[in-house]
Protein backbone atom coordinates (compact mmCIF):
# COMPACT_ATOMS: atom_id res chain seq x y z
CA UNK A 1 0.00 0.00 0.00
CA UNK A 2 1.46 3.34 -0.94
CA UNK A 3 0.24 4.98 2.28
CA UNK A 4 2.81 6.68 4.45
CA UNK A 5 2.58 7.31 8.15
CA UNK A 6 4.68 10.32 9.05
CA UNK A 7 5.78 11.00 12.57
CA UNK A 8 4.88 14.48 13.65
CA UNK A 9 4.92 16.72 16.67
CA UNK A 10 1.88 18.50 18.07
CA UNK A 11 1.55 22.25 17.71
CA UNK A 12 0.03 23.84 20.74
CA UNK A 13 -1.53 26.82 19.00
CA UNK A 14 -4.06 25.02 16.85
CA UNK A 15 -6.97 26.43 18.80
CA UNK A 16 -9.90 26.96 16.48
CA UNK A 17 -11.66 30.31 16.71
CA UNK A 18 -15.21 31.26 15.81
CA UNK A 19 -14.96 29.46 12.51
CA UNK A 20 -12.24 26.80 12.24
CA UNK A 21 -8.52 27.47 12.30
CA UNK A 22 -7.16 30.70 10.82
CA UNK A 23 -3.50 31.54 10.67
CA UNK A 24 -1.04 33.49 8.59
CA UNK A 25 -0.42 31.58 5.34
CA UNK A 26 3.27 30.92 6.12
CA UNK A 27 2.19 29.31 9.40
CA UNK A 28 -0.11 26.94 7.54
CA UNK A 29 2.67 26.24 5.03
CA UNK A 30 5.15 25.09 7.68
CA UNK A 31 6.12 21.45 7.25
CA UNK A 32 3.43 19.16 8.70
CA UNK A 33 1.27 22.01 10.04
CA UNK A 34 -1.67 21.52 7.66
CA UNK A 35 -1.22 17.75 7.87
CA UNK A 36 -1.38 17.87 11.66
CA UNK A 37 -4.58 19.83 11.63
CA UNK A 38 -6.23 17.66 8.99
CA UNK A 39 -5.32 14.46 10.84
CA UNK A 40 -6.52 16.01 14.13
CA UNK A 41 -9.79 16.88 12.38
CA UNK A 42 -10.23 13.38 10.98
CA UNK A 43 -9.44 11.83 14.37
CA UNK A 44 -11.58 14.39 16.22
CA UNK A 45 -14.67 13.46 14.22
CA UNK A 46 -14.17 9.76 14.85
CA UNK A 47 -12.19 8.92 11.72
CA UNK A 48 -13.21 9.15 8.06
CA UNK A 49 -13.09 5.48 7.06
CA UNK A 50 -15.93 4.77 4.62
CA UNK A 51 -17.14 8.38 4.81
CA UNK A 52 -18.10 10.89 2.11
CA UNK A 53 -16.59 14.37 2.38
CA UNK A 54 -17.13 17.62 0.48
CA UNK A 55 -13.93 19.58 -0.18
CA UNK A 56 -13.50 23.09 -1.58
CA UNK A 57 -12.42 26.59 -0.77
CA UNK A 58 -12.47 30.23 -1.73
CA UNK A 59 -9.56 30.01 -4.16
CA UNK A 60 -7.08 31.97 -2.09
CA UNK A 61 -3.33 31.35 -2.24
CA UNK A 62 -2.46 27.79 -1.06
CA UNK A 63 -6.07 26.58 -1.71
CA UNK A 64 -5.05 24.18 -4.49
CA UNK A 65 -1.95 22.80 -2.76
CA UNK A 66 -3.84 22.25 0.49
CA UNK A 67 -6.69 20.43 -1.30
CA UNK A 68 -4.22 17.95 -2.81
CA UNK A 69 -2.88 17.22 0.69
CA UNK A 70 -6.40 16.83 2.12
CA UNK A 71 -7.37 14.41 -0.67
CA UNK A 72 -4.26 12.27 -0.21
CA UNK A 73 -4.84 12.20 3.55
CA UNK A 74 -8.55 11.37 3.16
CA UNK A 75 -7.56 8.43 0.90
CA UNK A 76 -4.94 7.20 3.37
CA UNK A 77 -7.48 7.43 6.19
CA UNK A 78 -9.91 5.26 4.28
CA UNK A 79 -12.55 7.79 3.11
CA UNK A 80 -14.92 6.35 0.50
CA UNK A 81 -15.42 9.47 -1.58
CA UNK A 82 -14.48 13.14 -1.77
CA UNK A 83 -16.67 15.51 -3.76
CA UNK A 84 -14.59 18.51 -4.81
CA UNK A 85 -15.59 21.79 -6.44
CA UNK A 86 -14.01 22.21 -9.88
CA UNK A 87 -10.71 24.07 -9.60
CA UNK A 88 -10.93 23.56 -5.82
CA UNK A 89 -13.64 26.23 -5.65
CA UNK A 90 -16.69 26.09 -3.39
CA UNK A 91 -18.28 29.00 -1.57
CA UNK A 92 -19.08 28.25 2.07
CA UNK A 93 -22.88 28.22 1.51
CA UNK A 94 -22.49 26.10 -1.63
CA UNK A 95 -20.38 23.62 0.36
CA UNK A 96 -23.04 23.54 3.07
CA UNK A 97 -25.67 22.84 0.42
CA UNK A 98 -23.61 20.05 -1.17
CA UNK A 99 -23.06 18.34 2.19
CA UNK A 100 -26.82 18.29 2.72
CA UNK A 101 -27.81 17.47 -0.83
CA UNK A 102 -25.34 14.62 -1.22
CA UNK A 103 -25.93 13.27 2.28
CA UNK A 104 -22.21 13.61 2.99
CA UNK A 105 -20.69 13.04 6.41
CA UNK A 106 -19.20 16.50 6.44
CA UNK A 107 -16.92 18.85 4.58
CA UNK A 108 -13.58 20.60 4.71
CA UNK A 109 -13.79 24.24 3.65
CA UNK A 110 -10.60 26.15 2.96
CA UNK A 111 -10.96 29.84 3.66
CA UNK A 112 -10.00 32.63 6.00
CA UNK A 113 -13.30 34.26 5.10
CA UNK A 114 -13.05 38.05 4.83
CA UNK A 115 -9.35 38.14 5.78
CA UNK A 116 -6.93 39.00 2.94
CA UNK A 117 -5.27 36.18 0.99
CA UNK A 118 -1.75 35.69 -0.39
CA UNK A 119 1.64 34.25 0.57
CA UNK A 120 1.92 36.63 3.50
CA UNK A 121 -1.75 37.07 4.28
CA UNK A 122 -4.21 34.63 5.83
CA UNK A 123 -5.33 31.04 5.33
CA UNK A 124 -7.86 28.88 7.11
CA UNK A 125 -9.55 25.52 7.27
CA UNK A 126 -12.82 24.54 8.91
CA UNK A 127 -14.85 21.40 9.27
CA UNK A 128 -18.61 21.35 8.76
CA UNK A 129 -20.70 18.45 9.96
CA UNK A 130 -23.36 16.29 8.30
CA UNK A 131 -26.05 18.95 8.78
CA UNK A 132 -23.92 21.28 6.63
CA UNK A 133 -23.09 23.60 9.50
CA UNK A 134 -19.90 24.59 11.33
CA UNK A 135 -18.65 22.00 13.80
CA UNK A 136 -20.19 22.33 17.24
CA UNK A 137 -18.19 23.49 20.25
CA UNK A 138 -17.94 19.84 21.38
CA UNK A 139 -16.45 18.65 18.06
CA UNK A 140 -14.17 21.67 17.86
CA UNK A 141 -12.82 20.87 21.32
CA UNK A 142 -12.16 17.26 20.34
CA UNK A 143 -10.21 18.38 17.27
CA UNK A 144 -8.17 20.76 19.36
CA UNK A 145 -7.48 18.14 22.05
CA UNK A 146 -6.33 15.71 19.37
CA UNK A 147 -4.02 18.32 17.81
CA UNK A 148 -2.20 18.54 21.14
CA UNK A 149 -1.32 14.86 21.34
CA UNK A 150 -1.04 13.77 17.72
CA UNK A 151 2.19 11.97 16.83
CA UNK A 152 1.64 10.82 13.25
CA UNK A 153 -0.49 11.37 10.19
CA UNK A 154 -1.41 9.23 7.21
CA UNK A 155 -1.02 10.32 3.61
CA UNK A 156 -1.21 8.52 0.28
CA UNK A 157 1.97 8.53 -1.74
CA UNK A 158 0.39 9.62 -5.00
CA UNK A 159 0.58 12.34 -7.61
CA UNK A 160 -1.59 15.48 -7.68
CA UNK A 161 -5.01 15.16 -9.29
CA UNK A 162 -6.19 17.48 -12.04
CA UNK A 163 -8.92 19.46 -10.28
CA UNK A 164 -9.95 21.29 -13.44
CA UNK A 165 -11.69 18.33 -15.11
CA UNK A 166 -15.27 17.45 -14.17
CA UNK A 167 -15.85 13.75 -13.53
CA UNK A 168 -14.80 10.89 -11.34
CA UNK A 169 -11.42 9.33 -10.74
CA UNK A 170 -9.73 7.04 -8.25
CA UNK A 171 -7.16 8.10 -5.70
CA UNK A 172 -5.66 5.02 -4.13
CA UNK A 173 -9.03 3.38 -3.59
CA UNK A 174 -10.97 6.56 -2.80
CA UNK A 175 -13.38 8.02 -5.36
CA UNK A 176 -12.79 11.68 -6.20
CA UNK A 177 -15.69 13.41 -7.90
CA UNK A 178 -15.11 16.86 -9.35
CA UNK A 179 -18.36 18.81 -9.64
CA UNK A 180 -19.38 22.19 -10.96
CA UNK A 181 -19.35 24.44 -7.87
CA UNK A 182 -22.25 26.62 -8.99
CA UNK A 183 -25.01 24.40 -10.47
CA UNK A 184 -26.54 22.86 -7.33
CA UNK A 185 -26.42 26.15 -5.48
CA UNK A 186 -28.09 28.06 -8.32
CA UNK A 187 -30.83 25.41 -8.50
CA UNK A 188 -31.49 25.86 -4.78
CA UNK A 189 -31.79 29.63 -5.22
CA UNK A 190 -34.29 29.12 -8.06
CA UNK A 191 -36.43 27.04 -5.72
CA UNK A 192 -36.50 29.75 -3.03
CA UNK A 193 -37.00 32.95 -4.99
CA UNK A 194 -39.32 34.32 -7.65
CA UNK A 195 -36.81 34.41 -10.51
CA UNK A 196 -39.52 35.54 -12.98
CA UNK A 197 -40.28 38.62 -10.91
CA UNK A 198 -36.59 39.50 -10.49
CA UNK A 199 -36.01 38.91 -14.22
CA UNK A 200 -38.88 41.30 -15.00
CA UNK A 201 -37.38 43.86 -12.60
CA UNK A 202 -34.06 43.78 -14.45
CA UNK A 203 -35.79 43.79 -17.84
CA UNK A 204 -37.56 46.98 -16.74
CA UNK A 205 -34.21 48.77 -16.37
CA UNK A 206 -33.56 48.24 -12.64
CA UNK A 207 -29.79 48.45 -12.27
CA UNK A 208 -27.80 46.22 -9.93
CA UNK A 209 -24.13 46.43 -9.00
CA UNK A 210 -22.64 43.38 -7.29
CA UNK A 211 -19.02 43.52 -6.14
CA UNK A 212 -17.56 40.02 -5.81
CA UNK A 213 -14.31 41.55 -4.52
CA UNK A 214 -12.24 39.10 -6.64
CA UNK A 215 -13.37 36.39 -4.27
CA UNK A 216 -15.40 33.22 -4.57
CA UNK A 217 -18.85 34.64 -5.39
CA UNK A 218 -17.80 35.91 -8.84
CA UNK A 219 -18.80 32.73 -10.75
CA UNK A 220 -21.95 32.31 -8.65
CA UNK A 221 -23.11 35.90 -9.16
CA UNK A 222 -22.37 35.86 -12.87
CA UNK A 223 -24.35 32.67 -13.38
CA UNK A 224 -27.30 33.72 -11.24
CA UNK A 225 -27.56 37.48 -11.73
CA UNK A 226 -26.30 37.87 -15.28
CA UNK A 227 -27.12 34.54 -16.96
CA UNK A 228 -30.23 33.24 -15.21
CA UNK A 229 -31.78 36.58 -14.22
CA UNK A 230 -30.67 38.64 -17.20
CA UNK A 231 -28.90 41.52 -15.47
CA UNK A 232 -26.69 43.20 -18.08
CA UNK A 233 -23.14 41.92 -18.37
CA UNK A 234 -20.93 44.02 -16.11
CA UNK A 235 -23.51 44.08 -13.31
CA UNK A 236 -21.04 41.82 -11.48
CA UNK A 237 -17.75 43.58 -10.80
CA UNK A 238 -14.43 42.00 -9.78
CA UNK A 239 -15.98 38.67 -10.74
CA UNK A 240 -12.81 36.63 -11.28
CA UNK A 241 -11.57 34.94 -8.09
CA UNK A 242 -7.86 35.69 -7.56
CA UNK A 243 -5.45 34.04 -5.08
CA UNK A 244 -4.80 37.40 -3.41
CA UNK A 245 -8.26 38.88 -4.10
CA UNK A 246 -6.55 41.46 -6.29
CA UNK A 247 -4.62 42.75 -3.27
CA UNK A 248 -7.90 43.74 -1.61
CA UNK A 249 -9.51 42.92 1.67
CA UNK A 250 -12.58 40.83 0.78
CA UNK A 251 -14.73 42.11 3.63
CA UNK A 252 -18.04 43.56 2.46
CA UNK A 253 -18.37 46.71 4.53
CA UNK A 254 -18.25 50.42 3.69
CA UNK A 255 -14.52 50.59 4.43
CA UNK A 256 -13.30 47.69 2.32
CA UNK A 257 -15.95 47.90 -0.41
CA UNK A 258 -15.07 51.56 -1.07
CA UNK A 259 -15.56 51.42 -4.84
CA UNK A 260 -19.07 50.08 -4.48
CA UNK A 261 -19.90 52.72 -1.87
CA UNK A 262 -18.62 55.43 -4.23
CA UNK A 263 -20.84 54.05 -7.01
CA UNK A 264 -23.88 53.98 -4.73
CA UNK A 265 -23.53 57.50 -3.34
CA UNK A 266 -24.12 60.54 -5.56
CA UNK A 267 -26.30 61.05 -8.63
CA UNK A 268 -27.24 58.41 -11.17
CA UNK A 269 -26.43 55.47 -8.94
CA UNK A 270 -27.53 51.89 -9.62
CA UNK A 271 -30.80 50.95 -7.88
CA UNK A 272 -29.21 48.27 -5.75
CA UNK A 273 -25.65 47.54 -4.66
CA UNK A 274 -24.27 44.49 -2.88
CA UNK A 275 -21.00 42.77 -2.10
CA UNK A 276 -19.89 39.47 -0.66
CA UNK A 277 -16.75 38.29 1.09
CA UNK A 278 -13.87 35.84 0.49
CA UNK A 279 -15.91 32.66 0.88
CA UNK A 280 -19.32 34.03 -0.04
CA UNK A 281 -21.13 33.83 3.27
CA UNK A 282 -21.20 37.52 4.20
CA UNK A 283 -23.09 40.29 2.43
CA UNK A 284 -23.35 44.05 2.28
CA UNK A 285 -26.51 45.75 1.03
CA UNK A 286 -26.60 49.36 -0.14
CA UNK A 287 -29.32 51.30 -1.90
CA UNK A 288 -28.96 54.65 -3.66
CA UNK A 289 -27.36 56.88 -1.01
CA UNK A 290 -28.52 54.39 1.59
CA UNK A 291 -26.22 51.91 3.35
CA UNK A 292 -28.24 49.24 5.13
CA UNK A 293 -26.65 48.03 8.37
CA UNK A 294 -26.48 44.22 8.68
CA UNK A 295 -28.72 44.35 11.76
CA UNK A 296 -31.35 46.38 9.87
CA UNK A 297 -31.04 44.05 6.88
CA UNK A 298 -31.74 41.04 9.09
CA UNK A 299 -34.81 42.72 10.59
CA UNK A 300 -36.22 43.77 7.22
CA UNK A 301 -35.60 40.39 5.59
CA UNK A 302 -37.26 38.61 8.51
CA UNK A 303 -40.21 40.99 8.30
CA UNK A 304 -40.77 40.57 4.56
CA UNK A 305 -39.42 37.07 3.80
CA UNK A 306 -42.96 35.84 3.16
CA UNK A 307 -42.88 37.74 -0.14
CA UNK A 308 -40.48 35.09 -1.50
CA UNK A 309 -41.93 31.71 -2.52
CA UNK A 310 -39.56 29.74 -0.25
CA UNK A 311 -40.93 31.52 2.84
CA UNK A 312 -44.53 32.15 1.80
CA UNK A 313 -45.91 30.29 4.82
CA UNK A 314 -44.11 32.61 7.22
CA UNK A 315 -41.20 32.03 9.55
CA UNK A 316 -40.99 29.90 12.68
CA UNK A 317 -38.58 32.14 14.57
CA UNK A 318 -35.63 34.51 14.30
CA UNK A 319 -32.17 33.98 15.76
CA UNK A 320 -29.51 36.66 16.12
CA UNK A 321 -26.14 36.83 17.81
CA UNK A 322 -26.06 38.82 21.02
CA UNK A 323 -24.02 41.76 19.65
CA UNK A 324 -26.46 42.15 16.73
CA UNK A 325 -29.00 44.94 17.29
CA UNK A 326 -32.41 44.28 18.79
CA UNK A 327 -34.18 45.40 15.58
CA UNK A 328 -34.96 41.76 14.71
CA UNK A 329 -36.49 41.21 18.17
CA UNK A 330 -39.08 43.89 17.42
CA UNK A 331 -40.04 42.07 14.22
CA UNK A 332 -40.30 38.73 16.03
CA UNK A 333 -42.51 40.32 18.68
CA UNK A 334 -44.82 41.84 16.08
CA UNK A 335 -45.09 38.50 14.27
CA UNK A 336 -45.57 36.56 17.49
CA UNK A 337 -42.65 34.23 16.75
CA UNK A 338 -39.75 33.19 18.98
CA UNK A 339 -36.50 35.14 19.02
CA UNK A 340 -33.22 33.57 20.09
CA UNK A 341 -30.16 35.53 21.20
CA UNK A 342 -27.04 33.40 20.75
CA UNK A 343 -23.28 33.86 21.14
CA UNK A 344 -21.31 35.06 18.10
CA UNK A 345 -20.65 32.28 15.59
CA UNK A 346 -22.96 30.66 13.07
CA UNK A 347 -22.52 27.28 14.75
CA UNK A 348 -24.88 28.43 17.52
CA UNK A 349 -27.77 28.68 15.05
CA UNK A 350 -27.40 25.05 13.93
CA UNK A 351 -29.44 23.40 16.68
CA UNK A 352 -32.26 25.96 16.30
CA UNK A 353 -32.39 25.49 12.53
CA UNK A 354 -32.24 21.69 12.79
CA UNK A 355 -35.05 21.73 15.36
CA UNK A 356 -37.19 23.96 13.12
CA UNK A 357 -37.39 26.68 15.77
CA UNK A 358 -35.64 29.41 13.75
CA UNK A 359 -36.09 30.11 10.03
CA UNK A 360 -34.08 33.31 9.59
CA UNK A 361 -30.75 33.98 11.34
CA UNK A 362 -28.34 36.85 11.27
CA UNK A 363 -25.35 38.58 12.73
CA UNK A 364 -24.05 42.11 12.85
CA UNK A 365 -20.88 40.88 11.11
CA UNK A 366 -22.75 40.95 7.78
CA UNK A 367 -24.09 37.41 7.91
CA UNK A 368 -27.69 36.55 7.14
CA UNK A 369 -29.18 33.22 6.21
CA UNK A 370 -32.01 30.78 6.67
CA UNK A 371 -32.84 27.12 7.07
CA UNK A 372 -32.01 26.45 3.37
CA UNK A 373 -28.40 25.63 4.38
CA UNK A 374 -26.52 25.70 7.68
CA UNK A 375 -24.25 28.65 6.93
CA UNK A 376 -24.81 32.31 6.39
CA UNK A 377 -25.24 33.03 2.72
CA UNK A 378 -24.25 36.25 0.95
CA UNK A 379 -25.99 35.72 -2.39
CA UNK A 380 -29.10 34.38 -0.68
CA UNK A 381 -29.45 37.71 1.14
CA UNK A 382 -28.94 39.60 -2.13
CA UNK A 383 -31.62 37.52 -3.88
CA UNK A 384 -34.10 37.87 -1.02
CA UNK A 385 -33.62 41.64 -1.15
CA UNK A 386 -34.15 41.59 -4.93
CA UNK A 387 -37.25 39.43 -4.52
CA UNK A 388 -38.66 41.91 -1.96
CA UNK A 389 -37.79 44.89 -4.18
CA UNK A 390 -39.54 43.20 -7.11
CA UNK A 391 -42.60 42.24 -5.07
CA UNK A 392 -43.12 45.63 -3.45
CA UNK A 393 -41.97 47.89 -6.29
CA UNK A 394 -40.33 50.08 -3.65
CA UNK A 395 -36.75 51.36 -3.47
CA UNK A 396 -34.21 50.38 -0.80
CA UNK A 397 -34.46 53.77 1.01
CA UNK A 398 -38.28 53.62 0.91
CA UNK A 399 -38.29 50.11 2.39
CA UNK A 400 -35.97 51.22 5.19
CA UNK A 401 -38.08 54.29 5.95
CA UNK A 402 -41.21 52.11 6.10
CA UNK A 403 -39.44 49.68 8.39
CA UNK A 404 -38.29 52.37 10.83
CA UNK A 405 -41.73 54.01 10.80
CA UNK A 406 -43.19 50.68 11.89
CA UNK A 407 -40.58 49.56 14.42
CA UNK A 408 -38.35 52.54 15.25
CA UNK A 409 -34.71 52.85 14.18
CA UNK A 410 -32.00 50.95 16.04
CA UNK A 411 -28.99 53.17 15.40
CA UNK A 412 -26.04 50.80 15.34
CA UNK A 413 -22.30 50.83 14.80
CA UNK A 414 -19.28 48.64 15.50
CA UNK A 415 -15.88 50.08 16.35
CA UNK A 416 -12.91 47.74 15.83
CA UNK A 417 -9.47 48.15 17.37
CA UNK A 418 -7.40 45.73 15.31
CA UNK A 419 -4.16 43.90 16.09
CA UNK A 420 -3.77 45.45 19.50
CA UNK A 421 -1.52 43.93 22.11
CA UNK A 422 -3.12 40.73 23.33
CA UNK A 423 -2.31 41.30 27.02
CA UNK A 424 -3.72 44.83 26.83
CA UNK A 425 -6.92 43.50 25.25
CA UNK A 426 -7.40 40.82 27.87
CA UNK A 427 -6.53 43.38 30.56
CA UNK A 428 -9.29 45.64 29.26
CA UNK A 429 -11.83 42.81 29.40
CA UNK A 430 -10.70 41.90 32.95
CA UNK A 431 -10.98 45.54 33.95
CA UNK A 432 -14.60 45.52 32.69
CA UNK A 433 -15.36 42.20 34.41
CA UNK A 434 -14.11 43.63 37.69
CA UNK A 435 -16.64 46.48 37.50
CA UNK A 436 -19.74 44.52 36.48
CA UNK A 437 -21.23 44.01 39.90
CA UNK A 438 -21.28 47.65 40.88
CA UNK A 439 -22.31 49.27 37.58
CA UNK A 440 -26.12 49.13 37.70
CA UNK A 441 -27.53 52.48 38.83
CA UNK A 442 -24.28 54.35 38.13
CA UNK A 443 -23.80 57.03 35.49
CA UNK A 444 -21.34 56.65 32.64
CA UNK A 445 -20.72 59.85 30.65
CA UNK A 446 -24.18 61.04 31.66
CA UNK A 447 -26.00 57.76 30.83
CA UNK A 448 -27.55 55.76 33.62
CA UNK A 449 -26.63 52.06 33.64
CA UNK A 450 -29.65 49.75 33.89
CA UNK A 451 -27.77 46.44 33.94
CA UNK A 452 -24.35 44.97 33.17
CA UNK A 453 -23.29 41.35 32.73
CA UNK A 454 -21.11 38.91 30.87
CA UNK A 455 -23.19 36.98 28.34
CA UNK A 456 -23.62 33.23 28.77
CA UNK A 457 -25.88 31.05 26.66
CA UNK A 458 -27.79 27.87 27.35
CA UNK A 459 -28.74 26.22 24.08
CA UNK A 460 -32.50 25.59 24.32
CA UNK A 461 -32.23 22.52 22.08
CA UNK A 462 -29.21 20.55 23.29
CA UNK A 463 -28.72 22.18 26.69
CA UNK A 464 -25.05 23.01 26.12
CA UNK A 465 -23.71 26.11 27.85
CA UNK A 466 -21.31 28.72 26.45
CA UNK A 467 -19.81 31.26 28.85
CA UNK A 468 -17.76 34.47 28.54
CA UNK A 469 -19.42 35.49 25.27
CA UNK A 470 -19.09 39.25 25.59
CA UNK A 471 -19.66 41.97 28.18
CA UNK A 472 -22.84 43.99 27.79
CA UNK A 473 -24.03 47.14 29.46
CA UNK A 474 -27.62 48.30 29.03
CA UNK A 475 -28.53 51.91 29.69
CA UNK A 476 -31.78 53.19 31.15
CA UNK A 477 -32.59 55.11 27.93
CA UNK A 478 -32.56 51.89 25.88
CA UNK A 479 -28.96 52.22 24.66
CA UNK A 480 -26.44 49.40 24.88
CA UNK A 481 -22.71 48.76 24.50
CA UNK A 482 -21.10 45.34 24.09
CA UNK A 483 -17.38 44.53 24.35
CA UNK A 484 -15.96 41.38 22.81
CA UNK A 485 -12.64 40.07 21.52
CA UNK A 486 -12.72 38.76 17.96
CA UNK A 487 -12.31 35.06 17.37
CA UNK A 488 -11.22 35.41 13.75
CA UNK A 489 -8.17 37.68 13.85
CA UNK A 490 -4.74 36.28 13.06
CA UNK A 491 -2.57 38.95 14.66
CA UNK A 492 -2.62 40.18 18.28
CA UNK A 493 -6.16 40.78 19.48
CA UNK A 494 -9.05 42.68 17.95
CA UNK A 495 -11.40 44.48 20.31
CA UNK A 496 -14.93 44.94 19.00
CA UNK A 497 -17.16 47.57 20.57
CA UNK A 498 -20.79 47.28 19.51
CA UNK A 499 -22.93 50.37 20.01
CA UNK A 500 -26.69 50.69 19.78
CA UNK A 501 -29.56 53.03 20.60
CA UNK A 502 -33.25 52.79 19.66
CA UNK A 503 -34.85 55.95 18.25
CA UNK A 504 -38.62 56.01 18.01
CA UNK A 505 -39.15 59.65 16.96
CA UNK A 506 -39.60 59.69 13.14
CA UNK A 507 -38.30 63.26 13.06
CA UNK A 508 -34.94 61.85 14.19
CA UNK A 509 -34.50 58.97 11.74
CA UNK A 510 -32.08 60.90 9.52
CA UNK A 511 -29.29 61.56 11.97
CA UNK A 512 -25.67 60.76 11.30
CA UNK A 513 -25.15 57.33 12.89
CA UNK A 514 -22.03 58.26 14.88
CA UNK A 515 -23.72 61.44 16.10
CA UNK A 516 -26.80 59.52 17.16
CA UNK A 517 -24.59 57.14 19.11
CA UNK A 518 -22.26 59.77 20.61
CA UNK A 519 -23.49 59.37 24.23
CA UNK A 520 -23.08 55.57 24.08
CA UNK A 521 -19.61 55.95 22.51
CA UNK A 522 -18.56 58.30 25.33
CA UNK A 523 -19.87 55.88 27.96
CA UNK A 524 -17.97 53.00 26.34
CA UNK A 525 -14.72 54.98 26.39
CA UNK A 526 -15.20 55.90 30.02
CA UNK A 527 -15.99 52.45 31.36
CA UNK A 528 -13.39 50.53 29.33
CA UNK A 529 -10.56 53.11 29.18
CA UNK A 530 -10.16 52.10 25.54
CA UNK A 531 -7.76 54.82 24.46
CA UNK A 532 -5.50 54.37 27.45
CA UNK A 533 -5.44 50.55 27.35
CA UNK A 534 -5.32 49.98 23.60
CA UNK A 535 -2.92 52.81 22.88
CA UNK A 536 -5.23 53.93 20.05
CA UNK A 537 -7.09 57.21 20.05
CA UNK A 538 -9.58 56.05 17.41
CA UNK A 539 -10.91 52.73 16.09
CA UNK A 540 -9.21 51.24 13.03
CA UNK A 541 -12.50 50.35 11.39
CA UNK A 542 -15.94 51.83 11.97
CA UNK A 543 -18.87 50.07 10.37
C1 LIG B 1 -17.13 34.05 11.58
C2 LIG B 1 -18.34 33.28 11.95
C3 LIG B 1 -19.48 34.24 12.18
C4 LIG B 1 -19.10 35.26 13.23
C5 LIG B 1 -17.80 35.90 12.89
C6 LIG B 1 -17.34 36.68 14.08
O1 LIG B 1 -17.42 34.73 10.39
O2 LIG B 1 -18.68 32.38 10.92
O3 LIG B 1 -20.61 33.52 12.54
O4 LIG B 1 -20.05 36.26 13.34
O5 LIG B 1 -16.83 34.92 12.61
O6 LIG B 1 -16.10 37.19 13.85
P1 LIG B 1 -15.30 37.82 15.04
O7 LIG B 1 -15.10 36.75 16.08
O8 LIG B 1 -14.06 38.30 14.39
O9 LIG B 1 -16.14 38.95 15.57
P2 LIG B 1 -16.61 34.47 9.06
O10 LIG B 1 -17.36 35.19 7.99
O11 LIG B 1 -15.27 35.08 9.37
O12 LIG B 1 -16.57 32.99 8.90
Amino acid sequence: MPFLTHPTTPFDDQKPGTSGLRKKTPVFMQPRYLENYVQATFDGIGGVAGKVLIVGGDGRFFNDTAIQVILRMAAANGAARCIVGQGGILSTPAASNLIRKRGADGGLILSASHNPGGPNADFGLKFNGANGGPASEAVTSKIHARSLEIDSYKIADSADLDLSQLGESDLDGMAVEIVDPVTDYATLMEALFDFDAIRALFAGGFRVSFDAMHAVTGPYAREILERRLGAPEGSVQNGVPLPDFGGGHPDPNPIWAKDLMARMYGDDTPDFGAASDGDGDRNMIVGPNCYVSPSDSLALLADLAHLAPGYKDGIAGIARSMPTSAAADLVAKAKGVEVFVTPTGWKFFGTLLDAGRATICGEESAGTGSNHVREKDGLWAVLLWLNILAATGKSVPALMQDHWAKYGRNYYSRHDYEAIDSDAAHGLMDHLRGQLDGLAGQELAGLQVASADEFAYDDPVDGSRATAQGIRIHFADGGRVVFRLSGTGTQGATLRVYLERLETDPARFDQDVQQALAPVIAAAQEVAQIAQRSGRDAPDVIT
Side-chain angles (χ1 to χ4, degrees), residues 18-19 22 113-114 277 281-282 344-346 363 365 376 484 486-488 496:
T18 328
S19 191
R22 286 188 197 160
S113 188
H114 53 288
D277 70 330
D281 56 3
R282 296 184 175 208
T344 296
W346 204 263
E363 300 188 279
S365 56
K376 52 192 188 274
R484 195 186 143 259
S486 159
T488 61
R496 304 211 192 281

Side-chain angles (χ1 to χ4, degrees), residues 175-239:
V176 178
E177 188 184 335
I178 313 271
V179 299
D180 182 274
V182 178
T183 309
D184 289 307
Y185 178 81
T187 304
L188 174 65
M189 294 300 116
E190 274 179 336
L192 294 174
F193 301 115
D194 187 347
F195 269 41
D196 288 341
I198 303 173
R199 211 175 285 120
L201 185 74
F202 290 162
F206 183 98
R207 288 188 296 154
V208 58
S209 181
F210 179 89
D211 190 345
M213 305 188 87
H214 285 303
V216 79
T217 47
Y220 294 86
R222 280 191 163 159
E223 172 64 25
I224 295 172
L225 297 176
E226 295 183 358
R227 294 196 196 101
R228 300 197 186 196
L229 290 168
E233 220 173 285
S235 300
V236 176
Q237 285 104 38
N238 302 323

Side-chain angles (χ1 to χ4, degrees), residues 54-65:
I54 305 295
V55 183
D58 63 11
R60 71 180 60 221
F61 182 83
F62 194 50
N63 190 64
D64 41 6
T65 314

Side-chain angles (χ1 to χ4, degrees), residues 260-498:
L260 177 66
M261 289 299 281
R263 222 172 294 133
M264 294 307 298
Y265 277 74
D267 301 326
D268 192 33
T269 67
D271 299 292
F272 182 75
S276 192
D277 70 330
D279 60 331
D281 56 3
R282 296 184 175 208
N283 73 87
M284 177 174 97
I285 303 296
V286 51
N289 300 294
C290 175
Y291 166 73
V292 181
S293 82
S295 292
D296 273 351
S297 179
L298 168 68
L300 185 133
L301 293 180
D303 196 29
L304 301 178
H306 59 273
L307 297 175
Y311 308 93
K312 64 177 186 328
D313 297 330
I315 57 174
I318 306 172
R320 67 159 171 100
S321 66
M322 183 275 282
T324 304
S325 94
D329 304 16
L330 302 173
V331 173
K333 195 166 170 227
K335 288 190 180 297
V337 299
E338 278 190 292
V339 62
F340 302 91
V341 178
T342 64
T344 296
W346 204 263
K347 62 187 165 204
F348 292 101
F349 296 139
T351 53
L352 299 166
L353 291 165
D354 286 347
R357 291 184 62 179
T359 306
I360 304 274
C361 307
E363 300 188 279
E364 52 66 39
S365 56
T368 12
S370 86
N371 57 357
H372 68 292
V373 289
R374 291 295 181 273
E375 282 280 2
K376 52 192 188 274
D377 188 343
L379 265 170
W380 171 90
V382 169
L383 290 166
L384 181 50
W385 263 96
L386 288 169
N387 196 141
I388 290 168
L389 289 161
T392 58
K394 292 185 177 163
S395 68
V396 174
L399 284 170
M400 282 323 307
Q401 286 295 335
D402 287 359
H403 187 87
W404 295 333
K406 192 164 159 195
Y407 295 107
R409 177 170 185 185
N410 290 73
Y411 278 104
Y412 189 86
S413 180
R414 188 176 95 186
H415 291 191
D416 293 338
Y417 297 79
E418 295 183 337
I420 58 177
D421 178 71
S422 187
D423 290 343
H426 288 283
L428 183 148
M429 294 301 281
D430 286 341
H431 166 69
L432 284 168
R433 256 177 220 120
Q435 300 177 74
L436 285 177
D437 282 347
L439 270 182
Q442 286 199 18
E443 279 206 355
L444 289 176
L447 289 183
Q448 208 196 341
V449 176
S451 65
D453 68 355
E454 184 158 26
F455 181 56
Y457 177 67
D458 294 299
D459 187 306
V461 180
D462 70 11
S464 59
R465 184 171 174 81
T467 55
Q469 297 295 323
I471 287 174
R472 52 184 181 177
I473 301 173
H474 288 99
F475 299 104
D477 72 348
R480 183 185 77 157
V481 58
V482 172
F483 299 90
R484 195 186 143 259
L485 298 184
S486 159
T488 61
T490 56
Q491 211 178 346
T494 292
L495 170 69
R496 304 211 192 281
V497 184
Y498 310 84

Side-chain angles (χ1 to χ4, degrees), residues 244-260:
D244 66 347
F245 306 121
H249 199 130
D251 193 358
N253 64 42
I255 308 295
W256 298 114
K258 264 201 198 77
D259 294 349
L260 177 66

